[in-house]
Structure formats: C-alpha cells, structure tokens
C-alpha cells in the first residue's frame, strides 16, 4: 500500500518537468493496473500495515479515484495546448489523488477526517483557478462552507470518541456501542452534506457547473462517494440510534430525489442537468445505506461506482460539446447528430447507463436498492418508481434535445471528434457495462 | 525584527527593543505581584519609543492612545493587587476584585470586551510594529492571567472574543484591521489554552506567531496595507501560493500547519466537557475562514486583469519568502507523522 503512495509522491517532481503531460497520465494508468493486482480478500481488511489497510469498499473506491484522475488528465488536453498553468494543474491532480487515496486507506478515523478535509483544497483550487466564469467564486465559497459546516461537528465527534474509547482505529470501532443522539447527528451530518442530501444539496449544482471538466469529473466521480464511504464506516458503532432515526434521512432523500428529478426537466444548462441527476442518484444511495440491510449496502456501493463512471463520462461529453460550440445551453447544442454522429453513439450509451438500462452496472445498483428500500417499507415503492421513471425521462430528454432536431444556425466549423475523446468515453463506458459480467468482485462482502 | 530595524537606519530603537524583551522576562519570572506590575510598566515605557514617529499626526495619535489605554489598565492592575493582597489578604477567586484583576490584564492584551483600542491602534502602526503588538505584547499578560484566573469569567470572555473577532472583521477592508480582528479571535483560543496548561498555550502561541510572522513579512515586503492592493500588482506565482497557504493555515484548515493547534485545543475542550463552547469555537472559525478567503481571492484566480505597469519591487531579498513557503508546505507532512 505504501508503494502506491510513494509512486504518487514521486510523480510530483515529474509534473514540473517539461513536456511531461502525457507521461503523468500514462503513469497513472500504470498505477491503476498495478493496484488492480492486489490480493482482494472479501471478508476482512487486507494489506494492513502501520497506517494503511484495504477493504473491499476502499479497494473499489481507490480504483475508481485513480481511474477518474487519469481520465481527468486525458480530458484536459486544452489546458496543455493553451499553456494554462498545466504544471500546477498536474500537481493539483496528483495531490488530490494522494489525498483521496489516503482518505480511503488509512486506519485511523482522525486521519480519515484530515485527508477528507484536505481533499477539499485542491478541488477548490481547480474550481476557482481553472474555471471560466465569474460565478465560480460563489461556487467555491458554497462548496467550501457547506462542507466545512458539516465536517467541523464531525471533528468534534471523532475527538469525543477518542476520549471515550481511547482508540480511533476503524477496525476496532465495531466492538463498541456509542448510542447517543447528538453524537449521531454530528457524525453523519458531514457525510450527508457531502453526498448530498436534498436540503443541503445547494453547493452541488453550483460547484459542478462552474468547475472545469476535470473538476466536474472528480466532483461527480469521487468526492460525492467520500460521503457514502464515511457513512459506511461511521454507522457501525451507532447502530441503535441508526435504527431509531434513519427514517428521517431516508424520507428526506427519497422525496428530495423526486423533486430534484422533476427539476431536471426545467434545466437549460447541460451541466446543470447532469449535476441535478447526480443529486437524484445519490438520494437513492443515501436511502440504501440508511436502511441498513445487506442489499442496501450492496446496492448503494454498486450505484456509487457506476454513478461515478457514468456522471464523469457525461461531464466529458458536455465538455466535448462546450469546446466546439462554447455554450452549454440546450438551445444552442441541438441537432448534433448532423455533425458528430459517432459522438451521438457515446451520448446514447452513457445516457442509457444513466437511466439504468441493461446491461449497465447502474441497473444492478438500482434493482438492489429498490429491493432493499421496498423491503423496508412498501410505500417507498411509489417514490422509487417515480425517481426511476423520471431519471429515464430526463436522460432521454437530454439525449433528444442535444442530438435530434434542427441545428443552431450560428455554428461555424469544428472537427468531429478526436480519438483522444473517443478513448476517454470508451474508458468510461467499458468498465461500466462490462463489470456486470463479474459482479461478485463488488457485491459479495461476506 | 532586528534585521528590519538595522536596514531602516534605526539602530537607536535596538535599545528599546532589548528593554522590551527584558521587561517581559521581569514580569513573568517575578515572585511578587509588584514585580509583575513593574514588568508591565517597563513594557509600556519601552514600547512607546518603538512606535512613536513624529513624522505624521496619525502615528503620534496612535502612540498616545496606546499609552493612555495601557497605563489605565496598569494602574487598575496595581490598585487591585494592593487591595487584594495587602488589604484584604485573601485568595478567594470568586469576588469582584479578582474579576477586576483579570479584566485589567485582558485590557492590556486587547481582548474583548476591552478591545476597542486594538483595531484603532493597528491602523496607525507599521507592519513590524504590528507584529510586535500582536505577538510579543501578549506574552506577559497571558502568563500573569494564568497565575490567578476566575474560570467562569474567563469562559465568558472567551466567547466574547470569538464572536467579536469573527463578526468584527466582516466589514473591514484594511489588512491591518483584518489581522487585528483575527488576533482577537485567536486570543479566545489562547485564553482557553492557558486555562488548561501553560505548555499548551506555548505550543499554540508559537505556531500562531510563526504564521503571523510569515504573513506580516509578506505584506511588509510587498508594502500592502489594503485589500484592493492585492489585485493591482503582478505577484509572482510563488508569492501567491505562499499567501494562499498562509491564510488557509491560519484559518485552521487541514492539511496545513495551522490545523494542529486547533485540533489539540478541541481535544482538551472535549476532555473537559465544554461541548457548547466547542461548537462556538467551530462556527466562529468558519466566519474567520470566510474573510480570509476574501483576502486570497487574488491568489485563487489565476486569470484576472493584472495591471502591467505596476512592478513589484521587493525591498529585501526573496530568501525569507522561499523559506516561509517551504515551512508552510513541509509542515503538513510533519504534522501527519509526528503526532500519529
């Protein structure tokens, strides 16, 4: 485990050398393939050393974060061409990857908090530094303050646990029972803000829209999953309070997911639509984790991984359109099938995965979540039915508005689609639709 | 401080600087309350020539205001000492006399609710004098406070410090006043730490004064006193990064150095079961981070309209900036591996 940390640390001097942009990306792919060859044991923590461990959840999420970070660099070729501080951009990406890797793999709960907060700083730098609109300042403020408002009580909770239990090792926490209401709220509020749950979701549309493509990819791909991972770790020692109070969060997130799905139909901005669809998917994930049965955990984990790949791919597609037309509006991006028919294939593949069509991994996640939520209460059938229906609805709406119809007459000229862009989208779609063939890597936990 | 006094052809101020350091030592190492008072008076006497500068009216007025407030507080302190230990001769901490003693020491430090002189005076001082005022002048009142404090009174003062320090800085544009309000907020953290142990206070104070030194030396070298000056000049990339890291570190965000003292104080707060007070500490530090980020907008945004005709001439060499950048970044690594 430490070998990957050292590989990432020593990639930092590589970022500052001349003409090393693509080498850094190749190194990240290399590290991804090395990481996949770790021994994967399902019932326990494996690869333990002084500070690090790997569990099946952290294994999958670290793989996802390395994959998305390498695809981030592939998607940001325009920064390299226009010479827009790409050295510092590479350093930012590698630093963010180090922080995410450490978040998912340290044994100590306080170190988890430390790296959880530390991953905010490079994200903030990505949004405000490389974004292209004046609203990005407000977006960065919203991101920072919503997350910090939630996570400072988390710090209080962690220090309280340390003073009470004299340990902060995540592995030992399952032997304790700290059933206190205030501790429960302070521990999970940070993750609910990060996920995001419906009432505290306002940072997400702003931050996703104002970020550059790499920022949007990492936000949709991994940063939301930090919340899910934290919830999975922290709920172990709070089980009785969870059983009493979790219905609040399930109801808020499911009804909120319904409202957000309906709001997706009113969006004019492509990225804003994809951001709201992220909130709707994450609302189902929150519902699945909070129900606390096995299908719920499995479904939310699968949906986290598949949503990471799918949303990140959709943001890449939105950026591909933006780089050519310099607009994200649905009024201008219409009739694209006339000009880029191959790209419309990728729009369709990724949007069909978004609406949980077979054979994508989203389908398996949604089916497991529907199973777990309906087993918890029959009435959630109605909400889940509406959320799934509307997600199909807005995915088709987005596809049809962008691809079909008459094109905008003010277009000048652009090239169809470089192989780099096709490779980028293929690398998003391929794991998403092929992992369904061997799901026991991610869905059998014991 | 020596270096800057020497380069400004002001070696006569060296004499007063040495007496300033000596007076603090007198004050904290005396075995009688009289000795403490004497140290405080010599402190005042030697600080006035350092800040008085008869070239403009503002600095004359500033040194006069400083003299008036500090001598008022010293006289109050002497009077309360005499009443308590010579006249009444009891060591009861729960009466008005001990509250008055603590209040006079708080007024010497510039803590709320006696803070009104502090932003006024920092507006009239130069950056290096501000550095002395914000760091060294706090040592002796703090340590004297630790010898005899009333816990309930001080907790109330801590809450007032935190709230005034965070809310007062929201409407300021002058960098000196912003750092003054942030100093008032950090006084809240420091007063709590000195109630726990002097060692803990020393730890917080050293890290705080190192961070303040890095920021003040950066502003001093760039000759910046107001927030609108941050956007006008053409800052080097490393200077921007240094500014960014220092302010985020002062706000207490991980992964920088400034997170460590705050985390340790939260640990002691929760050991002593001050739950609501911890919540106030957290939320006021969010407000502080808000106005720090307003200051560092210019270093976040990589592309904005820069005035090309303003050339940034550094007064001294750049080695100080490079060293402080290195310390700010590398302390992150140290802070994860020393205490875990």
């Amino acid at each position: 485990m430490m070998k990957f940390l050292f590989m990432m640390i020593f990639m930092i001097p590589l970022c500052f050398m001349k003409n090393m942009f693509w080498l850094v990306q190749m190194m990240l792919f290399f590290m991804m393939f090395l990481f996949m060859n770790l021994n994967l044991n399902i019932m326990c923590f494996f690869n333990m050393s002084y500070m690090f461990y790997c569990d099946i959840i952290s294994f999958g999420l670290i793989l996802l974060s390395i994959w998305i970070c390498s695809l981030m660099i592939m998607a940001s070729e325009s920064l390299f061409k226009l010479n827009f501080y790409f050295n510092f951009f590479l350093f930012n990406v590698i630093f963010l990857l180090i922080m995410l890797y450490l978040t998912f793999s340290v044994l100590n709960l306080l170190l988890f908090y430390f790296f959880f907060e530390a991953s905010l700083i490079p994200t903030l730098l990505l949004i405000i530094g490389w974004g292209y609109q004046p609203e990005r300042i407000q977006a960065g403020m919203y991101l920072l303050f919503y997350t910090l408002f939630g996570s400072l009580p988390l710090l209080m909770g962690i220090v309280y646990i340390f003073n009470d239990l004299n340990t902060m090792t995540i592995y030992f926490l399952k032997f304790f029972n700290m059933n206190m209401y205030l501790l429960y709220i302070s521990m999970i509020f940070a993750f609910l803000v990060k996920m995001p749950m419906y009432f505290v979701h306002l940072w997400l549309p702003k931050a996703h829209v104002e970020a550059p493509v790499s920022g949007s990819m990492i936000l949709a791909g991994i940063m939301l999953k930090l919340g899910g991972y934290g919830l999975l770790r922290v709920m172990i020692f709070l089980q009785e309070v969870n059983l009493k109070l979790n219905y609040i969060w399930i109801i808020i997130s499911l009804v909120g997911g319904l409202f957000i799905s309906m709001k997706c139909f009113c969006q004019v901005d492509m990225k804003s639509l994809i951001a709201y669809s992220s909130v709707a998917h994450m609302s189902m994930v929150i519902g699945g984790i909070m129900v606390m049965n096995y299908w719920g955990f499995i479904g939310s984990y699968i949906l986290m991984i598949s949503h990471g790949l799918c949303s990140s791919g959709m943001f890449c597609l939105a950026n591909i359109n933006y780089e050519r037309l310099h607009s994200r509006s649905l009024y201008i991006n219409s009739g694209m099938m006339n000009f880029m028919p191959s790209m419309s294939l990728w729009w369709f593949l990724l949007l069909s995965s978004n609406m949980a069509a077979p054979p994508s991994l989203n389908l398996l996640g949604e089916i497991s979540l529907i199973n777990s939520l309906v087993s918890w209460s029959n009435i959630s059938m109605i909400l889940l039915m509406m959320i799934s229906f509307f997600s199909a609805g807005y995915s088709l709406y987005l596809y049809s508005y962008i691809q079909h119809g008459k094109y905008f007459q003010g277009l000048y000229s652009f090239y169809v689609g470089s192989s780099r862009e096709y490779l980028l989208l293929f690398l998003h779609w391929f794991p998403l639709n092929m992992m369904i063939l061997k799901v026991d890597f991610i869905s059998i936990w014991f | 401080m020596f270096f800057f006094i020497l380069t400004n052809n002001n070696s006569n101020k060296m004499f007063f600087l040495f007496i300033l350091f000596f007076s603090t030592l007198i004050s904290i190492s005396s075995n009688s309350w009289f000795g403490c008072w004497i140290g405080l008076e010599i402190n005042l006497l030697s600080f006035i020539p350092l800040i008085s500068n008869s070239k403009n009216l503002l600095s004359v007025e500033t040194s006069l205001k400083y003299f008036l407030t500090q001598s008022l507080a010293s006289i109050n302190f002497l009077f309360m000492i005499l009443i308590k230990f010579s006249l009444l001769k009891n060591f009861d901490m729960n009466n008005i006399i001990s509250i008055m003693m603590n209040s006079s020491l708080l007024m010497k430090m510039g803590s709320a609710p006696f803070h009104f002189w502090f932003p006024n005076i920092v507006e009239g001082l130069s950056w290096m004098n501000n550095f002395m005022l914000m760091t060294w002048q706090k040592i002796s009142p703090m340590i004297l406070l630790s010898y005899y404090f009333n816990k309930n009174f001080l907790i109330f003062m801590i809450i007032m410090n935190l709230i005034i320090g965070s809310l007062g800085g929201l409407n300021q544009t002058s960098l000196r006043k912003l750092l003054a309000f942030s100093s008032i907020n950090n006084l809240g953290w420091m007063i709590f730490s000195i109630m726990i142990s002097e060692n803990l206070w020393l730890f917080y104070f050293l890290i705080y004064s190192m961070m303040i030194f890095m920021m003040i030396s950066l502003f001093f070298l760039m000759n910046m006193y107001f927030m609108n000056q941050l956007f006008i000049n053409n800052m080097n990339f490393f200077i921007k990064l240094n500014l960014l890291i220092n302010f985020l570190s002062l706000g207490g965000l991980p992964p920088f150095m400034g997170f460590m003292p705050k985390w340790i104080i939260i640990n002691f707060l929760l050991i002593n079961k001050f739950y609501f007070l911890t919540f106030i500490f957290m939320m006021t530090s969010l407000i502080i981070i808000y106005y720090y980020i307003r200051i560092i907008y210019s270093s976040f945004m990589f592309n904005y309209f820069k005035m090309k005709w303003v050339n940034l001439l550094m007064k001294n060499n750049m080695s100080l900036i490079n060293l402080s950048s290195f310390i700010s970044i590398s302390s992150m690594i140290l802070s994860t591996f020393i205490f875990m």
Side-chain angles (χ1 to χ4, degrees):
Chain A
M1 294 304 289
M2 204 155 78
K3 61 187 175 199
F4 299 106
L5 184 65
F6 270 95
M7 180 164 180
M8 286 188 281
I9 291 177
F10 284 116
M11 273 201 268
I12 292 178
L14 203 62
C15 305
F16 291 109
M17 293 196 222
K18 264 190 152 187
N19 291 332
M20 287 291 178
F21 192 78
W22 296 118
L23 185 64
V24 174
Q25 192 229 337
M26 286 300 150
M27 282 285 141
L28 282 176
F29 272 132
F30 182 50
M31 191 167 73
M32 166 82 177
F33 292 125
L34 281 177
F35 194 81
M36 281 201 285
N37 293 328
L38 280 179
N39 282 326
L40 179 64
N41 297 321
I42 46 179
M43 286 193 342
C44 55
F45 285 23
F46 58 97
N47 278 328
M48 275 174 84
S49 72
Y50 288 114
M51 276 171 52
F52 302 114
Y53 76 106
C54 222
D55 184 358
I56 182 156
I57 316 175
S58 31
F59 181 73
L61 288 171
I62 295 177
L63 272 181
L64 184 64
S65 51
I66 302 177
W67 193 242
I68 301 266
C69 281
S70 54
L71 292 178
M72 264 162 85
I73 303 181
M74 200 196 278
S76 310
E77 191 211 5
S78 64
L79 290 180
F80 179 53
K81 275 211 181 126
L82 298 173
N83 202 3
F84 189 12
Y85 300 100
F86 63 89
N87 287 325
F88 190 58
F89 172 75
L90 283 176
F91 171 68
N92 229 353
V93 172
I94 303 261
F95 184 68
L96 180 60
L97 180 59
I98 294 177
M99 292 297 133
L100 287 171
Y101 174 82
L102 287 169
T103 311
F104 290 125
S105 66
V106 285
L107 265 175
N108 197 344
L109 201 58
L110 183 78
L111 276 182
F112 163 75
Y113 170 79
F114 186 83
F115 294 118
F116 176 81
E117 289 298 302
S119 64
L120 263 182
I121 305 281
T123 312
L124 194 65
L125 276 174
L126 272 177
I127 293 180
I128 304 189
W130 284 275
Y132 24 77
Q133 276 171 323
E135 289 88 4
R136 68 193 197 259
I137 303 179
Q138 192 193 26
M141 283 292 198
Y142 265 64
L143 167 73
L144 188 69
F145 284 98
Y146 265 80
T147 313
L148 278 179
F149 178 65
S151 66
L152 285 173
L154 175 66
L155 178 63
M156 279 169 66
I158 291 177
V159 177
Y160 177 82
I161 289 173
F162 176 64
N163 288 330
D164 206 7
L165 305 177
N166 278 327
T167 177
M168 279 195 287
T169 309
I170 295 182
Y171 187 70
F172 294 145
L173 290 176
K174 65 183 182 190
F175 298 112
F176 295 105
N177 271 329
M178 311 274 291
N179 292 309
M180 284 166 260
Y181 289 111
L182 211 52
L183 182 67
Y184 167 72
I185 298 270
S186 63
M187 296 296 279
I188 68 170
F189 189 59
F191 304 119
L192 289 176
V193 169
K194 197 87 174 159
M195 283 294 277
M197 194 181 66
Y198 175 59
F199 286 133
V200 286
H201 72 284
L202 278 177
W203 63 272
L204 189 133
K206 289 195 197 300
H208 275 76
V209 169
E210 301 302 329
V213 63
S214 44
S216 290
M217 283 168 74
I218 197 70
L219 273 170
I222 278 291
M223 307 291 283
L224 304 184
K225 292 30 176 198
L226 281 172
Y229 176 77
L231 273 177
L232 285 172
R233 291 290 175 219
V234 145
M235 278 171 37
I236 293 181
F237 54 91
L238 288 168
Q239 279 173 13
E240 278 149 20
V241 189
N242 270 326
L243 287 172
K244 278 191 194 159
L245 288 184
N246 270 347
Y247 68 95
I248 306 176
W249 315 119
I250 301 176
I251 293 174
I252 293 178
S253 46
L254 282 180
V255 175
L258 176 62
F259 290 159
I260 295 267
S261 310
M262 287 197 281
K263 200 171 152 63
C264 276
F265 282 107
C266 313
Q267 298 298 327
V268 175
D269 190 345
M270 279 196 291
K271 278 177 98 160
S272 189
L273 206 152
I274 303 173
Y276 277 109
S277 97
S278 283
V279 181
H281 284 290
M282 283 294 125
S283 73
M284 282 194 289
V285 171
I286 295 177
I289 296 180
M290 292 292 177
V291 177
M292 289 176 61
N293 50 21
Y294 180 63
W295 278 79
F297 287 146
I298 297 294
S300 56
Y301 181 59
I302 294 180
L303 194 58
M304 283 201 286
I305 292 189
S306 57
H307 170 261
L309 288 167
C310 187
S311 269
S312 163
M314 287 197 291
F315 277 117
C316 289
L317 279 167
N319 184 56
I320 287 173
N321 267 355
Y322 178 81
E323 277 179 358
R324 287 158 174 75
L325 284 83
H326 286 292
S327 162
R328 300 190 302 250
S329 152
L330 280 180
Y331 296 130
I332 298 187
N333 282 299
S334 69
M336 284 289 114
M337 200 188 262
N338 297 314
F339 299 114
M340 299 197 282
S342 302
M343 203 53 79
S344 105
L345 167 72
W346 291 109
W347 271 106
F348 182 72
L349 284 176
L350 281 167
L351 278 171
S352 70
S353 302
N354 193 25
M355 72 168 97
S360 71
L361 212 55
N362 293 62
L363 174 73
L364 183 63
E366 281 199 23
I367 290 181
S368 312
L369 282 175
I370 289 175
N371 220 334
S372 81
L373 278 163
V374 172
S375 82
W376 175 73
S377 152
N378 281 339
I379 307 177
S380 60
M381 240 194 309
I382 304 176
L383 291 170
L384 281 168
M385 175 184 79
M386 301 297 280
I387 293 179
S388 291
F389 174 66
F390 283 135
S391 84
Y394 59 71
S395 305
L396 274 177
Y397 170 78
L398 182 65
Y399 176 72
S400 171
Y401 255 87
I402 293 184
Q403 306 298 114
H404 302 146
K406 192 157 171 65
Y407 51 87
F408 177 61
Q409 303 276 21
L411 301 175
Y412 186 51
S413 85
F414 43 84
Y415 57 93
V416 174
S418 56
S419 356
R420 167 189 67 90
E421 292 163 349
Y422 289 135
L423 179 65
L424 181 65
L425 295 165
F426 176 75
L427 290 174
H428 275 112
W429 171 82
F430 187 73
L432 186 59
N433 279 28
M434 293 300 145
M435 276 214 284
I436 196 112
L437 297 172
K438 182 85 173 145
V439 193
D440 54 341
F441 271 129
I442 41 182
S443 79
I444 297 185
W445 287 4
F446 42 82
Chain B
M1 185 67 185
F2 301 107
F3 188 56
F4 298 119
I5 290 183
L6 283 175
T7 52
N8 285 336
N9 293 326
N10 258 332
S11 51
N12 51 354
K13 293 205 174 167
M14 188 77 81
F15 172 66
F16 295 111
L17 197 65
F18 281 131
I19 296 190
L20 184 77
F21 291 151
F22 199 57
S23 70
T24 306
L25 294 177
I26 293 176
S27 178
I28 61 184
S29 57
S30 75
N31 53 3
S32 143
W33 285 102
F34 258 120
C36 305
W37 174 73
I38 288 176
L40 289 176
E41 287 291 321
I42 301 179
N43 199 3
L44 170 64
L45 272 180
S46 60
F47 196 62
I48 296 290
L50 284 177
I51 63 179
S52 77
N53 179 8
S54 59
K55 293 199 180 118
N56 58 347
L57 190 60
L58 179 63
S59 65
V60 169
E61 186 181 319
T62 299
S63 50
L64 191 65
K65 276 190 223 173
Y66 183 76
F67 175 73
L68 281 175
T69 54
Q70 298 273 309
S71 58
L72 181 70
S74 288
I75 285 292
N76 212 357
F77 184 61
L78 176 68
F79 197 47
M80 293 306 140
I81 290 173
L82 290 175
I83 289 180
K84 194 155 183 69
F85 297 111
S86 306
L87 188 66
L88 296 178
K89 289 199 177 68
N90 63 348
F91 292 99
D92 183 16
M93 281 199 215
N94 278 328
N95 51 13
I96 188 79
I97 308 290
S98 71
I99 290 180
M100 292 287 288
M101 273 176 73
N102 285 346
S103 301
S104 58
L105 286 171
L106 289 175
M107 187 166 168
K108 288 210 78 99
M109 280 197 285
S111 129
F114 312 110
H115 68 282
F116 295 96
W117 58 273
F118 192 53
N120 264 326
I121 285 186
V122 297
E123 191 65 28
L125 298 178
S126 71
W127 275 119
M128 281 301 150
N129 289 333
N130 270 333
F131 173 63
M132 292 309 275
L133 180 64
M134 286 185 208
T135 56
W136 187 264
Q137 298 290 91
K138 309 262 191 275
I139 293 184
S140 53
M142 275 285 186
I143 295 188
L144 294 181
L145 197 64
S146 79
Y147 291 156
Y148 193 77
F149 61 85
N150 183 349
K151 183 188 83 155
N152 293 325
F153 177 68
L154 274 191
I155 297 231
F156 185 54
M157 291 300 122
I158 289 173
I159 296 178
M160 284 184 72
N161 265 327
L162 294 172
I163 293 179
I164 288 180
S166 62
L167 295 178
L170 282 176
N171 203 15
Q172 309 292 341
T173 53
S174 158
L175 288 173
R176 289 177 284 192
K177 279 202 176 134
L178 278 172
L179 282 183
F181 280 106
S182 120
S183 172
I184 295 176
N185 190 44
N186 276 307
L187 262 182
W189 290 83
M190 283 200 268
I191 295 176
F192 181 77
S193 66
I194 212 159
M195 280 164 62
I196 301 289
S197 123
E198 192 174 312
N199 224 353
L200 180 65
W201 170 76
L202 192 64
F203 175 68
Y204 190 94
F205 180 74
L206 279 177
I207 294 188
Y208 169 70
S209 44
M210 188 158 46
M211 291 192 289
I212 289 277
F213 174 67
M214 291 198 264
M215 277 194 300
I216 288 184
S217 65
L218 194 66
F219 287 139
F220 173 70
L221 290 173
M222 291 195 282
N223 207 10
M224 286 205 292
Y225 292 94
F226 293 97
M227 265 172 73
N228 51 4
Q229 286 174 309
L230 288 162
F231 283 94
I232 289 180
N233 50 10
N234 255 327
M235 283 196 273
N236 188 3
F237 186 63
F238 288 109
I239 303 176
K240 274 202 229 183
L241 205 59
N242 195 16
L243 193 68
L244 181 82
I245 290 177
N246 274 324
F247 268 103
L248 289 177
S249 166
L250 192 63
L253 286 184
F256 303 116
M257 182 168 58
F259 172 62
M260 202 168 31
K262 297 209 162 150
W263 158 47
I264 293 184
I265 290 187
I266 290 172
N267 194 11
F268 281 102
L269 273 165
L270 290 175
I271 284 177
N272 292 314
K273 300 186 178 24
F274 286 114
Y275 300 126
F276 187 62
L277 188 61
T278 318
F279 188 69
I280 298 183
F281 270 98
M282 304 272 160
M283 294 302 139
T284 52
S285 118
L286 271 186
I287 304 181
I288 295 255
I289 292 177
Y290 173 68
Y291 64 73
Y292 285 160
I293 292 200
R294 266 201 317 213
I295 298 178
I296 57 180
Y297 275 156
S298 64
S299 32
F300 266 132
M301 298 192 283
F302 298 147
N303 278 343
Y304 55 90
F305 284 122
K306 292 186 248 225
M307 308 283 181
K308 291 225 156 127
W309 59 79
V310 176
N311 220 346
L312 191 63
L313 290 172
M314 288 295 196
K315 274 188 195 173
N316 301 304
N317 55 357
M318 290 271 293
S319 63
L320 195 65
I321 302 249
N322 290 335
L323 180 67
S324 58
S325 293
F326 179 68
I327 291 176
S328 304
I329 299 177
S330 69
S331 58
M332 166 187 75
I333 304 176
L334 289 177
S335 72
T336 59
F337 292 117
I338 284 184
F339 286 98
M340 310 293 175

